[in-house]
């Protein structure tokens, strides 16, 4: 065995072991209505799409329309607008307490439609993600 590898393994081994916890993390699924209600309470999320078959994640400001569609604004002709038009993409937003990991997360999967302004290039385009699947989870701590 390579001694350098053995030494590196000995140094990193303890870092890979999780610390004992008195509580274990758990995720509880939320119904779609509750998930959209929570999603509507925040204004920043992450759009997940592909560029050249590689995954891309971009933090964005958003709002919901009355039908649960996720609305984003982007520069007309942007990489985002080109990449997502008529593609199935994901959107995720959450609120998680950094101290204990409790909170919620919501993921919306659906086809994106880019709505360009009527007066040529420039300006802002709106992207609407039509919700085909909405998955919400409440992150809690369960007693061990």
């Amino acid at each position: 065995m390579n001694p350098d590898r053995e030494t590196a393994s000995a140094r990193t081994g303890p870092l890979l072991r999780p610390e004992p916890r008195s509580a274990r993390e758990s995720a509880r699924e939320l119904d779609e209505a509750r998930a959209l209600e929570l999603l509507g309470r925040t204004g920043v999320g992450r759009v997940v799409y592909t560029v050249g078959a590689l995954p891309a994640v971009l933090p964005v400001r958003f709002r919901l329309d009355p039908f649960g569609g996720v609305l984003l604004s982007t520069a007309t002709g942007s990489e985002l607008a080109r990449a997502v038009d008529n593609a199935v993409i994901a959107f995720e937003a959450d609120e998680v307490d950094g101290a204990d990991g409790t909170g919620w997360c919501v993921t919306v999967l659906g086809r994106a439609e880019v709505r360009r302004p009527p007066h040529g290039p420039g300006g802002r385009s709106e992207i609407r993600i039509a919700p085909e699947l909405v998955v919400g989870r409440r992150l809690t701590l369960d007693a061990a």
Side-chain angles (χ1 to χ4, degrees), residues 70-107:
V70 177
L71 303 173
L72 317 171
S73 177
T74 188
T76 299
S78 69
E79 175 187 286
L80 177 62
R82 287 190 311 273
V84 305
D85 198 14
N86 204 33
V88 174
I89 63 173
F91 179 81
E92 189 274 342
D94 56 59
E95 283 187 8
V96 179
D97 185 308
D100 64 10
T102 60
W104 58 266
C105 66
V106 174
T107 303

Side-chain angles (χ1 to χ4, degrees), residues 117-138:
H119 304 296
R124 306 289 292 173
S125 290
E126 181 177 76
I127 298 170
R128 181 178 190 270
I129 305 169
E132 295 175 27
L133 178 64
V134 177
V135 178
R137 289 184 177 83
R138 171 82 58 195

Side-chain angles (χ1 to χ4, degrees), residues 10-141:
R11 282 194 311 261
T12 59
L15 298 177
L16 300 176
R17 282 180 263 200
E19 292 183 27
R21 296 185 67 158
S22 60
R24 114 185 113 80
E25 295 177 15
S26 174
R28 185 173 45 98
E29 252 188 69
L30 302 172
D31 65 46
E32 183 174 324
R34 179 67 175 144
L36 289 172
E37 178 187 330
L38 290 169
L39 193 58
R41 292 183 184 181
T42 188
V44 177
R46 290 163 257 345
V47 62
V48 182
Y49 59 104
T50 59
V51 176
L54 296 173
V57 179
L58 182 67
V60 293
R61 295 187 54 73
F62 76 98
R63 66 186 195 287
L64 293 180
D65 70 17
F67 306 104
V70 177
L71 303 173
L72 317 171
S73 177
T74 188
T76 299
S78 69
E79 175 187 286
L80 177 62
R82 287 190 311 273
V84 305
D85 198 14
N86 204 33
V88 174
I89 63 173
F91 179 81
E92 189 274 342
D94 56 59
E95 283 187 8
V96 179
D97 185 308
D100 64 10
T102 60
W104 58 266
C105 66
V106 174
T107 303
V108 176
L109 301 173
R111 188 162 303 277
E113 174 191 0
V114 178
R115 301 171 180 170
R116 291 170 180 80
H119 304 296
R124 306 289 292 173
S125 290
E126 181 177 76
I127 298 170
R128 181 178 190 270
I129 305 169
E132 295 175 27
L133 178 64
V134 177
V135 178
R137 289 184 177 83
R138 171 82 58 195
L139 307 172
T140 61
L141 293 177

